[in-house]
Amino acid sequence: MRIRLSEVTVAFGDVVAVGPITTTIDGPAIVALAGPSGSGKTTLLGALAGAVPLASGAMVVDAGTGVEHPRLPSFSWVSQAANALPDRSALDNVMLGALGRGAGLADAVADAENRLVVMGLEHRRVQAARTLSGGELQRLAFARALAAERPVILADEPTASLDEANTRMLCARLRDLARDRLIVVATHDPIVMEACDRVIDVRALSHRSDAA
């Protein structure tokens, strides 16, 4: 997986939020879009997802097939809030990822069971999501993203509400996940940045072109 940004700018009206940015993001890896609040990292993450339009420049994606796309062809989004269905079980929440890609019910159950094990949540499988801790909810969100079986996971400040212990636990899980996929995380958390293969300083790149 390779994402190339060429002079990418994102603007809201007359206000330039990000850019121009020229860089390349390669996977499999964990890559951080880093910077303080207001630096544009979440905006750039949204642009990678295709949810935020580019004001100028171009993004080209090669998913490893040799065929280039103008946006990410397949990705999962993990938000800061985790977005679990509070009254449904952890298993039900993860099954949504598999059902969303067309898996049958039996396959979705089996797949969700496996993803919960990967994220260390197998003991919480029948618990309602509202009973899970903040760290468990974030791991649940990544389990659901895994069940969708997409090659790219985009995560917006996934550790913002976590303590240090839970942050380190999540980062250890993400290191394992990044062996065969690209994970791009918008963050200002030094623990997350330490766990990443590469850190992109969005604010610095917005003031100069820096091909990587």
Side-chain angles (χ1 to χ4, degrees):
M1 172 65 69
R2 169 168 289 180
I3 306 169
R4 289 190 287 110
L5 306 178
S6 301
E7 294 295 309
V8 162
T9 299
V10 179
F12 300 102
D14 295 330
V15 178
V16 175
V18 177
I21 289 180
T22 296
T23 194
T24 301
I25 303 172
D26 287 306
I30 306 177
V31 178
L33 303 180
S37 297
S39 61
K41 57 187 182 295
T42 295
T43 299
L44 181 57
L45 195 73
L48 293 179
V52 178
L54 305 183
S56 61
M59 180 174 78
V60 178
V61 181
D62 182 346
T65 63
V67 178
E68 295 186 337
H69 304 264
R71 55 165 291 177
L72 285 179
S74 186
F75 67 91
S76 293
W77 181 275
V78 176
S79 70
Q80 182 176 331
N83 291 335
L85 297 176
D87 295 322
R88 301 307 295 262
S89 69
L91 183 67
D92 287 345
N93 272 277
V94 177
M95 283 174 59
L96 292 175
L99 292 171
R101 61 175 162 80
L105 183 59
D107 288 340
V109 172
D111 187 77
E113 296 272 12
N114 291 333
R115 309 301 182 178
L116 288 170
V117 171
V118 168
M119 297 308 296
L121 291 171
E122 63 274 17
H123 63 297
R124 301 289 265 160
R125 61 182 295 281
V126 299
Q127 302 298 311
R130 56 181 166 74
T131 68
L132 273 58
S133 69
E136 289 171 334
L137 284 171
Q138 280 298 339
R139 283 186 281 146
L140 185 71
F142 277 98
R144 185 176 62 228
L146 288 177
E149 291 191 346
R150 294 170 180 171
V152 182
I153 297 176
L154 305 177
D156 183 21
E157 298 278 10
T159 65
S161 60
L162 305 187
D163 60 19
E164 181 177 342
N166 277 296
T167 295
R168 292 191 182 280
M169 182 183 298
L170 179 61
C171 287
R173 302 283 177 179
L174 296 186
R175 286 285 347 143
D176 290 337
L177 302 184
R179 292 173 182 172
D180 58 359
R181 60 181 51 81
L182 175 61
I183 302 174
V184 184
V185 182
T187 187
H188 61 270
D189 190 325
I191 296 175
V192 177
M193 288 186 272
E194 182 182 343
C196 290
D197 298 293
R198 182 185 174 203
V199 176
I200 297 174
D201 186 333
V202 174
R203 184 167 59 178
L205 278 188
S206 290
H207 292 88
R208 59 183 175 83
S209 294
D210 183 19

